[in-house]
């Protein structure tokens, strides 16, 4: 490993079908007022909400509810949550839901005691909260596997008025204090959300994997996670109630984006940046947006990162390579990736998500460009990727 890094992850995890039993003990560590953020109501229909609220009541907490957190949390909803937290002197924010609810809860936690315009400071200017700024603690009861938000400090917020979706990774003060991961809670999510979550996990790993050429332990970890996800996804798509498969997907999601496999890596998040912009314009599930632009992007990246794509083909997809050139091996790896995406029912084009040729200039203009693993993209490159993905 050639990179220099520090690693610290303070989030405590409870995993398994009995993990919710630990919520009451954790609540003793926080003040009396809990802001409960959740989505459109599925947690009420499946009974998870009742279980969590019963534990909060038993612990003597005053529960302030903030329902309606959408799959792509908006700036308007963030403003609403900040006002609720300020008005009620909240002591703890508890996210009950998937990655979007967890993301949103961290965004609220960072913004409540921010002086000035938190949207401008944290998301537009990408600044961190001041060292002496108070930050509300966040905890998660996860109901969907995908984002890894239960063990990282990332947030994504959408300015719906301007079709602009942007993420911000806070410092480790905003990592959840604890997260409860019960794989059974993921079994009630709709089929399309499960599949979107699966690809979100895969892409998180690939975005960290496809950079650098050194012999990096992080890459070996990434390959193992990808192989586990591929196996479990095939089982879960056929039988969504398979506990072992769903538990492996959930655990892989956490380790895919809790900063561990990024150690010593430069990383490449441009599929996410393009996908965020596609999502802001189409409102499609996040994982679907990533899938829709991946093939066009990785075909370009392969030319500059050929040795890593050869390794990907051999170590993740078991491509033998006898009698094949390195380019043929790498192409076979991408073909295997595509076949798997089709097998589990993912969209491969932005057109399937409702994007049109007329949207491409707007999607390009709202795509945030970061230094990438093997490519340094210009706006015209993004336009070409989107056109190839239509």
């Amino acid at each position: 490993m050639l990179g220099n890094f520090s690693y610290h992850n303070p989030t405590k995890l409870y995993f398994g079908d009995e993990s919710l039993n630990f919520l009451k003990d954790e609540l003793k560590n926080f003040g009396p007022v809990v802001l409960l953020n959740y989505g459109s109501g599925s947690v009420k229909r499946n009974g998870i909400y009742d279980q969590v609220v019963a534990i909060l009541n038993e612990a003597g907490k005053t529960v302030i509810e903030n329902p309606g957190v959408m799959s792509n949390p908006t700036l308007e909803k963030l403003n609403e949550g900040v006002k609720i937290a300020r008005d009620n002197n909240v002591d703890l924010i508890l996210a009950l839901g998937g990655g979007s609810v967890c993301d949103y809860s961290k965004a609220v936690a960072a913004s409540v005691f921010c002086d000035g315009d938190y949207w401008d400071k944290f998301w537009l200017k990408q600044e961190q909260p001041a060292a002496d700024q108070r930050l509300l603690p966040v905890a998660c009861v996860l109901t969907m596997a995908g984002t890894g938000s239960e063990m990282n400090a990332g947030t994504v917020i959408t300015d719906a008025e301007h079709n602009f979706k942007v993420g911000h990774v806070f410092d480790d003060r905003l990592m959840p204090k604890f997260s409860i991961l019960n794989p059974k809670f993921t079994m009630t999510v709709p089929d399309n959300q499960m599949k979107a979550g699966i690809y979100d996990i895969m892409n998180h790993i690939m975005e960290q994997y496809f950079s650098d050429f050194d012999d990096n332990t992080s890459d070996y970890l990434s390959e193992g996670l990808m192989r586990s996800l591929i196996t479990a996804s095939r089982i879960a798509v056929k039988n969504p109630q398979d506990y072992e498969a769903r538990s492996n997907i959930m655990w892989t999601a956490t380790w895919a984006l809790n900063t561990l496999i990024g150690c010593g890596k430069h990383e490449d998040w441009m599929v996410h940046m393009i996908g965020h912009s596609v999502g802001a314009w189409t409102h499609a599930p996040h994982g679907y947006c990533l899938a829709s632009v991946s093939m066009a992007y990785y075909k370009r990246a392969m030319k500059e990162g050929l040795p890593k794509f050869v390794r990907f083909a051999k170590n993740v997809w078991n491509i033998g390579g006898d009698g094949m050139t390195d380019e043929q091996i790498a192409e076979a790896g991408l073909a295997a990736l595509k076949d798997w995406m089709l097998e589990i029912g993912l969209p491969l084009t932005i057109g399937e998500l409702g994007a049109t040729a007329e949207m491409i200039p707007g999607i390009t203009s709202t795509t945030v460009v970061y230094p990438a693993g093997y490519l340094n993209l210009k706006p015209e490159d993004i336009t070409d990727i989107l056109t190839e993905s239509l």
Side-chain angles (χ1 to χ4, degrees):
M1 296 178 69
L2 301 180
N4 297 281
F5 59 87
S6 63
Y7 180 74
H8 176 232
N9 195 316
T11 301
K12 185 175 184 178
L13 296 178
Y14 295 97
F15 187 94
D17 61 0
E18 298 179 356
S19 55
L20 191 61
N21 295 341
F22 295 95
L23 176 58
K24 185 178 179 181
D25 287 339
E26 285 293 337
L27 290 173
K28 296 175 183 177
N29 300 317
F30 303 94
V33 182
V34 177
L35 175 61
L36 182 63
N37 293 329
Y38 57 94
S40 60
S42 61
V43 292
K44 288 190 173 182
R45 293 189 295 272
N46 60 31
I48 299 172
Y49 166 90
D50 289 337
Q51 295 179 59
V52 170
V53 169
I55 295 170
L56 288 167
N57 289 335
E58 186 180 354
K61 302 299 182 181
T62 298
V63 181
I64 308 299
E65 297 195 20
N66 180 22
V69 180
M70 57 288 291
S71 60
N72 292 300
T74 64
L75 177 56
E76 181 181 10
K77 185 64 178 176
L78 173 59
N79 294 337
E80 179 185 335
V82 170
K83 184 177 187 305
I84 292 171
R86 287 173 174 171
D87 290 348
N88 291 278
N89 297 314
V90 166
D91 298 300
L92 170 70
I93 299 177
L94 183 61
L96 174 58
S100 293
V101 180
C102 298
D103 276 12
Y104 171 80
S105 296
K106 285 177 276 184
V108 173
S111 303
V112 170
F113 297 103
C114 175
D115 291 330
D117 186 339
Y118 43 80
W119 171 249
D120 179 69
K121 178 180 177 69
F122 299 145
W123 285 274
L124 299 184
K125 294 180 179 176
Q126 292 288 303
E127 297 177 8
Q128 292 289 359
D132 60 352
Q133 182 194 316
R134 181 184 170 191
L135 303 169
L136 285 174
V138 174
C140 303
V141 177
L142 195 65
T143 63
M144 178 182 168
T147 69
S149 191
E150 66 276 5
M151 202 179 187
N152 66 43
T155 65
V156 181
I157 298 295
T158 299
D159 178 354
E161 182 181 353
H162 299 98
N163 292 323
F164 182 58
K165 181 177 180 180
V166 61
H168 179 71
V169 179
F170 288 93
D171 59 56
D172 58 18
R173 292 176 294 165
L174 261 296
M175 287 185 172
K177 301 304 179 186
F178 67 91
S179 290
I180 292 171
L181 283 65
N182 183 340
K184 288 185 176 178
F185 289 175
T186 70
M187 293 181 181
T188 61
V189 301
D191 182 69
N192 69 322
Q193 292 291 345
M194 178 186 72
K195 293 174 180 177
I198 288 169
Y199 192 74
D200 194 16
I201 301 165
M202 186 69 167
N203 198 244
H204 286 161
I205 303 170
M206 292 194 296
E207 301 264 46
Q208 296 166 90
Y209 180 77
F210 285 121
S211 67
D212 307 309
F213 297 107
D214 61 316
D215 187 25
N216 190 313
T217 297
S218 296
D219 289 335
Y220 292 90
L221 296 172
S222 293
E223 289 164 356
L225 290 171
M226 285 187 278
R227 290 169 68 96
S228 174
L229 180 66
I230 292 163
T231 298
S233 68
R234 286 171 166 156
I235 297 170
V237 166
K238 293 179 181 178
N239 179 14
Q241 300 304 308
D242 187 297
Y243 179 85
E244 186 174 69
R246 298 302 288 265
S247 66
N248 283 332
I249 291 170
M250 194 175 208
W251 194 229
T252 301
T254 301
W255 288 96
L257 199 60
N258 66 358
T259 74
L260 177 68
I261 62 171
C263 289
K265 304 287 296 181
H266 285 106
E267 306 183 23
D268 176 355
W269 291 99
M270 279 313 303
V271 169
H272 261 71
M273 296 305 101
I274 300 170
H276 280 169
S277 193
V278 171
W281 284 80
T282 65
H283 309 292
H286 173 58
Y288 280 10
C289 296
L290 302 178
S292 71
V293 299
S294 282
M295 295 312 301
Y297 182 84
Y298 285 120
K299 285 178 181 177
R300 286 170 170 255
M302 185 197 77
K303 297 175 182 177
E304 303 299 326
L306 187 60
K308 181 57 68 67
F309 281 83
V310 170
R311 177 173 171 169
F312 175 69
K314 290 182 175 181
N315 293 355
V316 177
W317 298 105
N318 298 317
I319 305 298
D322 290 343
M324 301 168 67
T325 65
D326 282 354
E327 185 171 346
Q328 288 171 331
I329 296 170
E331 288 175 346
L334 289 183
L337 172 65
K338 180 179 179 180
D339 288 344
W340 170 72
M341 293 167 71
L342 289 171
E343 178 186 347
I344 66 171
L346 294 168
L348 296 182
T349 67
I350 62 175
E352 294 172 73
L353 307 181
T356 64
E358 291 73 23
M359 291 183 185
I360 288 178
I363 297 173
T364 298
S365 68
T366 53
T367 297
V368 177
V369 179
Y370 289 140
Y374 302 122
L375 298 174
N376 290 308
L377 298 181
K378 299 176 181 178
E380 53 267 32
D381 297 317
I382 295 170
T383 296
D384 289 344
I385 290 167
L386 290 166
T387 300
E388 291 172 23
S389 302
L390 190 61

